[in-house]
Amino acid sequence: MSSLPDGAAQARTLTEIFRAEGALAAVIPGYRPRAGQLEMAEAIASAISSQSTLVAEAGTGTGKTFAYLVPALLWGGKVIVSTGTKTLQDQLFRKDLPTVRAALGAPVTIALLKGRANYVCHYHLARAQTSGRFAQRQDASHLRSIVRFMQSTQTGDRSELPDVPENATIWPQVTSTRENCLGSECPNYRECFVMQARRLAQQADMVVVNHHLFFADLVLREEGVTDLLPQANTVIFDEAHQLPETASLFFGQTVSTAQMLELARDTLAEGLAAARDALSWPEVTARLERAARELRLALPQDSVRLHMRQLAPQSTLIPAIRAGAAELAQLSAILESQAERSEGLEQCWRRSQDLGRRLAAWVDSDEPEMICWIEAYSQSLQLHRTPLSIAATFSRQRAGQPRAWIFTSATLAVKSDFSHFTQQLGLEDATARAWPSPFDYGQQALLYVPQDLPAPLAPGYTEAVCDAALPVIAAAGGRAFVLCTTLRAVGVAATYLRERLAALGLEFPLLVQGEGGRSELLERFRSHGNAVLVGSQSFWEGIDVRGRALSVVVIDKLPFAPPDDPVLAARLDALARLGGNPFMDYQLPAAVIALKQGAGRLIRDETDRGVLILCDPRLISKPYGKRIWQSLPAFRRTRDGAEAVRFFDSAVPFDS
């Protein structure tokens, strides 16, 4: 790591870069200096210099991306930037980083690294072409598109092939997983896109990853496996509010019926390719497929999450798990006798051993620090072992090589209190700072809390929310997000709004989550210019619609997590046993952070204007309501629906 300038020299450099006629202004059209952005950059530079930990909340419009990229490129040494989504990852790598690097004239090499499922695998693509077995009719057409793509791509990154939808069922057949990758034994190892991306990442000065990949790497380090990511002097987490949930996923363990079916599929293909004469592979794999289906059917509910202790006494799930583990043991014995026939069969043998061990361990787990719970979908069942707390594990990772750790997001604090976030990750030693949004919420926006709404659990609540919001939506000319806390509420709101808009003669296009992919719906929302979009969790964050197209955001309820969620319930029980207040110490802060994300969709630019409608009467009736709205930006507030309607009669014009 190169020597760093002293604090005064560092501050002078940053002041020059971020000023109105500075380096950034020279390459960014419409650039405006913001005091919060400069202060945040200085704080990050200081954390890099001292190799310390900084938790930084930056309100919408602060410009946090450039605030961390500038000091990271100048003084960060080897840097890993981890983002919440692959979309943000691509934006950083393809747009923001090249812009800042050019502005600074910094001779820094950058690399993009995603999880292996994002890269087409030569070996599995060839096998898919040979087998000709497809889950859906359009898979054959998609496969031809992928084959053509492979003739020109330099990276194998599937995001470069928009012709094949992200959720197409062909992708699992032409990409690899950690379980079915042949590694150095693969005949295509030298041209492997995953290995190529990892080599570039090891050599680069700055690597852009996502949270899932970062924690996958930490898990491999824990297990003593080769590192995916290079050692770094500086680690920066953008959208850091997502980290506790992501870390819990990776520091835990999941085994699923989908993994069993994938093993059966791969075993059949490898057996027919390398050992067709040995035995009847369709019969062998059919037994495992049957065990997987019976395991799924042992829990009759769909879309349910249960703690192991919530299973009914007469449940057949545990016997079905044991039967599945026994079937995997039998398959393992068969594969062991054939493993020397090919690398693929040997890999299937090792997978069958590992999967069988994990399935049996789920039933027999008695670790008090792990939560065993079940998640059922229409076609699959997942068995999870999730740590009660990740603070100690993550702290152990941070205690290794001295480095700077930067955690940033627009939503980390509750009324300037960061403890909910820092305690979950064991960051009690961190410096925490916040920079408010530079936007003038008092002039640009109005917070409207409707009167006379029923209790959130009352029948007809969602319809009442729509009735309260419709006059404001009509005054705005559509241009609204209706954000719901449950998928059920999305369905109810969509049906009711469709009827009411037609009855009122309001010809606003109605877009509904589930009736298209998120990117597709957002593109349609922007292009219509007067649409109403009804969505759930995936539209609460990571959405940036600027200008007049989004003028109203409706939030149906305070986003408290379901109290019967098995992981949440276990953590609340543990907190209560330690003498804490589960609601005030955990549930309320989590809801406030989620609410800040949803509310943050409204004002994205200095010229945006709009109304935020919070429809939950608990915001007014409950003692904790004040703490919630005081955690939001300084909106002008009203309970008068007529005032909310009049907001759009204001003489202040929209900048469309």
Side-chain angles (χ1 to χ4, degrees):
M1 187 173 178
S2 58
S3 60
L4 298 174
D6 61 40
Q10 212 171 62
R12 284 195 300 273
T13 302
L14 290 171
T15 300
E16 285 296 309
I17 291 169
F18 285 100
R19 67 190 179 91
E21 300 81 22
L24 292 179
V27 298
I28 301 171
Y31 174 83
R32 298 180 187 178
R34 283 157 283 189
Q37 185 180 52
L38 174 59
E39 290 175 12
M40 182 177 173
E42 291 172 342
I44 290 171
S46 176
I48 290 173
S49 299
S50 59
Q51 295 184 320
S52 57
T53 300
L54 174 69
V55 176
E57 180 178 86
T60 306
T62 304
K64 63 180 170 63
T65 303
F66 290 172
Y68 66 70
L69 286 181
V70 168
L73 283 169
L74 289 177
W75 306 301
K78 189 92 169 182
V79 180
I80 293 174
V81 179
S82 181
T83 71
T85 64
K86 287 181 286 187
T87 301
L88 180 56
Q89 198 180 354
D90 284 330
Q91 178 182 314
L92 269 171
F93 179 73
R94 304 187 195 287
K95 182 181 177 183
D96 297 336
L97 255 173
T99 297
V100 177
R101 183 173 61 175
L104 302 179
V108 174
T109 55
I110 60 176
L112 177 70
L113 185 61
K114 300 179 182 179
R116 64 170 68 247
N118 292 278
Y119 302 94
V120 180
C121 170
H122 295 83
Y123 179 82
H124 287 95
L125 176 63
R127 201 180 69 180
Q129 289 178 273
T130 302
S131 73
R133 291 164 58 95
F134 302 117
Q136 295 184 5
R137 183 178 303 171
Q138 62 265 45
D139 282 354
S141 172
H142 289 157
L143 181 63
R144 288 192 293 272
S145 297
I146 294 169
V147 171
R148 288 193 297 271
F149 168 68
M150 289 289 276
Q151 295 170 359
S152 60
T153 180
Q154 299 296 310
T155 66
D157 186 341
R158 54 191 262 191
S159 69
E160 298 173 4
L161 182 59
D163 294 348
V164 180
E166 189 172 341
N167 60 353
T169 52
I170 190 63
W171 284 122
Q173 294 189 52
V174 300
T175 56
S176 68
T177 65
R178 182 185 168 198
E179 289 78 15
N180 67 18
C181 174
L182 300 181
S184 59
E185 301 300 319
C186 179
N188 304 102
Y189 183 74
R190 293 186 64 180
E191 62 260 41
C192 174
F193 289 122
V194 173
M195 297 310 301
Q196 174 183 299
R198 290 182 182 176
R199 283 193 294 270
L200 291 173
Q202 290 289 341
Q203 297 162 5
D205 299 309
M206 179 176 285
V207 186
V208 182
V209 302
N210 59 56
H211 299 340
H212 283 78
L213 184 61
F214 183 88
F215 283 102
D217 178 64
L218 286 193
V219 169
L220 291 180
R221 291 174 193 262
E222 287 268 303
E223 297 174 357
V225 181
T226 304
D227 302 340
L228 299 178
L229 303 178
Q231 294 289 339
N233 305 102
T234 303
V235 180
I236 300 172
F237 295 101
D238 201 342
E239 301 300 314
H241 64 279
Q242 299 176 5
L243 288 179
E245 184 175 348
T246 305
S248 293
L249 175 69
F250 280 92
F251 289 140
Q253 193 177 87
T254 297
V255 59
S256 69
T257 56
Q259 291 173 312
M260 296 169 69
L261 293 172
E262 287 168 6
L263 175 60
R265 180 198 68 197
D266 293 344
T267 299
L268 176 61
E270 295 291 350
L272 292 176
R276 184 182 291 268
D277 60 324
L279 66 160
S280 175
W281 291 101
E283 290 182 16
V284 170
T285 55
R287 291 200 297 269
L288 181 58
E289 290 175 344
R290 185 166 54 252
R293 286 194 297 270
E294 290 173 354
L295 176 52
R296 171 61 195 92
L297 294 172
L299 195 70
Q301 303 100 313
D302 282 354
S303 303
V304 67
R305 294 155 63 100
L306 296 170
H307 195 286
M308 185 180 180
R309 293 194 300 266
Q310 293 175 281
L311 290 174
Q314 67 273 23
S315 172
T316 59
L317 183 66
I318 300 302
I321 292 173
R322 296 194 188 281
E327 196 60 60
L328 282 162
Q330 290 187 37
L331 177 64
S332 179
I334 293 170
L335 286 169
E336 184 177 14
S337 69
Q338 303 297 320
E340 63 184 15
R341 302 282 290 270
S342 76
E343 291 87 353
L345 282 172
E346 181 178 0
Q347 185 74 356
C348 288
W349 169 47
R350 298 190 187 284
R351 286 168 62 191
S352 66
Q353 289 180 304
D354 179 61
L355 197 55
R357 276 196 301 266
R358 287 192 284 137
L359 196 58
W362 192 90
V363 178
D364 300 326
S365 176
D366 59 355
E367 299 174 74
E369 295 303 310
M370 300 297 287
I371 307 160
C372 290
W373 57 286
I374 308 112
E375 194 165 20
Y377 302 94
S378 59
Q379 300 294 323
S380 65
L381 185 77
Q382 295 183 347
L383 306 172
H384 302 277
R385 294 171 68 241
T386 301
L388 199 57
S389 170
I390 59 165
T393 305
F394 192 58
S395 293
R396 185 167 63 249
Q397 294 293 339
R398 289 176 53 242
Q401 173 190 346
R403 61 181 63 165
W405 295 83
I406 313 297
F407 301 82
T408 184
S409 169
T411 55
L412 293 174
V414 179
K415 200 181 171 185
S416 303
D417 181 3
F418 289 85
S419 60
H420 176 70
F421 175 76
T422 57
Q423 288 171 6
Q424 288 182 89
L425 292 177
L427 303 177
E428 286 82 356
D429 62 327
T431 298
R433 293 190 61 184
W435 290 271
S437 169
F439 300 152
D440 187 348
Y441 283 87
Q443 291 295 317
Q444 292 179 247
L446 180 70
L447 170 59
Y448 167 43
V449 181
Q451 300 186 63
D452 302 322
L453 285 174
L457 295 179
Y461 178 79
T462 300
E463 292 87 343
V465 165
C466 294
D467 285 335
L470 267 170
V472 183
I473 293 173
R479 316 179 194 281
F481 275 6
V482 179
L483 301 180
C484 302
T485 51
T486 65
L487 288 173
R488 180 184 177 279
V490 168
V492 173
T495 299
Y496 189 73
L497 282 171
R498 190 169 281 116
E499 295 172 355
R500 294 293 296 140
L501 289 172
L504 294 169
L506 298 172
E507 297 182 353
F508 305 146
L510 186 67
L511 308 177
V512 183
Q513 180 176 334
E515 297 180 359
R518 186 173 88 152
S519 298
E520 175 195 349
L521 289 175
L522 282 173
E523 184 57 38
R524 288 165 58 192
F525 182 86
R526 291 187 179 100
S527 62
H528 282 305
N530 67 336
V532 177
L533 186 150
V534 186
S536 180
Q537 185 175 3
S538 61
F539 288 92
W540 281 63
E541 61 179 280
I543 304 293
D544 191 9
V545 179
R546 302 187 182 210
R548 196 178 178 189
L550 180 56
S551 303
V552 179
V553 170
V554 183
I555 294 179
D556 69 337
K557 296 179 186 178
L558 296 175
F560 289 110
D564 58 351
D565 177 274
V567 177
L568 175 62
R571 288 178 174 158
L572 296 182
D573 286 346
L575 187 59
R577 288 196 302 271
L578 294 172
N581 183 321
F583 180 77
M584 296 301 294
D585 296 343
Y586 197 102
Q587 289 171 284
L588 182 61
V592 170
I593 289 172
L595 181 65
K596 288 169 70 175
Q597 280 290 328
R601 298 317 96 209
L602 182 63
I603 303 298
R604 307 297 299 173
D605 193 85
E606 290 157 333
T607 57
D608 283 358
R609 299 180 67 249
V611 174
L612 172 65
I613 307 178
L614 292 185
C615 291
D616 197 319
R618 292 173 293 184
L619 194 65
I620 303 300
S621 64
K622 296 296 185 181
Y624 57 76
K626 185 176 181 180
R627 187 178 180 196
I628 293 174
W629 61 254
Q630 285 183 340
S631 297
L632 297 173
F635 289 90
R636 184 160 54 91
R637 301 187 299 274
T638 187
R639 302 209 67 197
D640 182 356
E643 183 179 353
V645 168
R646 287 196 302 272
F647 180 88
F648 295 102
D649 297 330
S650 167
V652 180
F654 276 100
D655 181 353
S656 58

